[in-house]
Amino acid sequence: MIECSLCSGVAWRVAQGLYWSTVLNRDQRLLGKSMLVLNRHSEDVTGLTDDEWLSLRRDLAATKRALDELLQPDHYNLLFLMNVDRHVHLHIWPRYRSRRTWQGMDYEDPDFGSQCNASPRTMKDEDLEQLRTALHERLR
Ligand SMILES: [Zn+2]
């Protein structure tokens, strides 16, 4: 098997369920940008088992609930892109009508209502750790 970055260990894991892990992206161009990563290696979304789909729905709902509580996004983009990492993962991109502030830093979403064209924005480790903790506490 080809070396897979999502199999060789993800950073910034918020929670690990039976089938999926909730992971924060280091790139926080959209505040709260995260993903659900399948715990086994598969490159075909249509090859998910019924249990994995059911679990994805539940884990997605829980992640959305936690993000809603913490950051009140106005909308979500959900994407299976898998351009770089072929391992099945669902991107969760919170979208915002107006500015949000996290740890004293402002986050804008000027493309709200259309495709996000913002450049990658790496969040400082300590701010990302705060975000991870805050989301972890709200996942249930
Ligand atoms: Zn993999």
Side-chain angles (χ1 to χ4, degrees):
M1 197 198 315
I2 305 164
E3 181 74 16
C4 169
S5 65
L6 293 179
C7 280
S8 48
V10 292
W12 305 106
R13 190 189 310 269
V14 177
Q16 180 162 359
L18 189 54
Y19 300 106
W20 300 88
S21 292
T22 310
V23 176
L24 268 172
N25 282 108
R26 212 179 155 73
D27 167 16
Q28 288 289 309
R29 77 185 82 176
L30 294 164
L31 184 60
K33 190 172 177 294
S34 45
M35 54 190 183
L36 287 167
V37 180
L38 186 64
N39 289 341
R40 68 177 174 94
H41 186 88
S42 169
E43 301 185 358
D44 183 3
V45 173
T46 64
L48 295 176
T49 66
D50 290 349
D51 285 344
E52 287 167 344
W53 275 115
L54 184 62
S55 180
L56 179 65
R57 183 169 67 74
R58 288 179 179 152
D59 290 355
L60 176 58
T63 305
K64 187 170 168 287
R65 219 165 28 235
L67 287 164
D68 282 345
E69 259 185 52
L70 188 64
L71 303 168
Q72 296 86 46
D74 297 295
H75 183 58
Y76 287 91
N77 294 153
L78 303 171
L79 315 92
F80 287 108
L81 292 171
M82 296 156 59
N83 292 315
V84 178
D85 295 312
R86 294 302 173 98
H87 182 127
V88 171
H89 60 290
L90 176 66
H91 289 277
I92 304 170
W93 293 359
R95 303 300 306 266
Y96 302 96
R97 228 178 262 285
S98 58
R99 177 188 309 133
R100 299 295 192 273
T101 303
W102 182 255
Q103 303 300 115
M105 301 290 285
D106 287 340
Y107 291 82
E108 310 264 4
D109 182 4
D111 304 316
F112 181 80
S114 63
Q115 187 175 318
C116 174
N117 290 310
S119 301
R121 175 178 176 177
T122 302
M123 187 182 268
K124 281 191 299 182
D125 279 4
E126 63 246 47
D127 294 356
L128 202 52
E129 185 55 50
Q130 294 284 334
L131 189 55
R132 174 164 65 174
T133 302
L135 282 175
H136 180 81
E137 286 168 353
R138 286 166 179 79
L139 273 179
R140 57 187 185 270

Coordinates of all heavy atoms in Angstrom, one line a residue, residues 75 92 99 125:
H75 N -23.7 28.6 8.2 CA -23.9 27.6 7.2 C -22.7 26.6 7.3 O -21.7 26.9 7.9 CB -23.9 28.2 5.8 CG -24.2 27.3 4.7 ND1 -25.4 26.6 4.6 CD2 -23.5 27.1 3.6 CE1 -25.3 25.9 3.5 NE2 -24.2 26.2 2.8
I92 N -15.5 19.4 6.9 CA -16.6 20.2 7.5 C -16.1 21.6 7.5 O -15.2 22.0 8.3 CB -16.9 19.7 8.9 CG1 -17.3 18.2 8.9 CG2 -18.0 20.6 9.5 CD1 -17.4 17.6 10.3
R99 N -17.8 38.4 11.0 CA -16.6 38.1 11.6 C -16.8 37.3 12.9 O -17.7 37.5 13.7 CB -15.8 39.4 11.9 CG -14.5 39.2 12.7 CD -13.9 40.5 13.1 NE -13.8 41.5 12.0 CZ -14.3 42.7 12.1 NH1 -14.7 43.2 13.2 NH2 -14.2 43.5 11.0
D125 N -0.3 27.1 17.4 CA -0.5 25.8 18.2 C -1.4 26.0 19.4 O -2.3 25.3 19.7 CB 0.8 25.2 18.6 CG 1.4 24.4 17.4 OD1 0.9 24.4 16.3 OD2 2.5 23.8 17.7

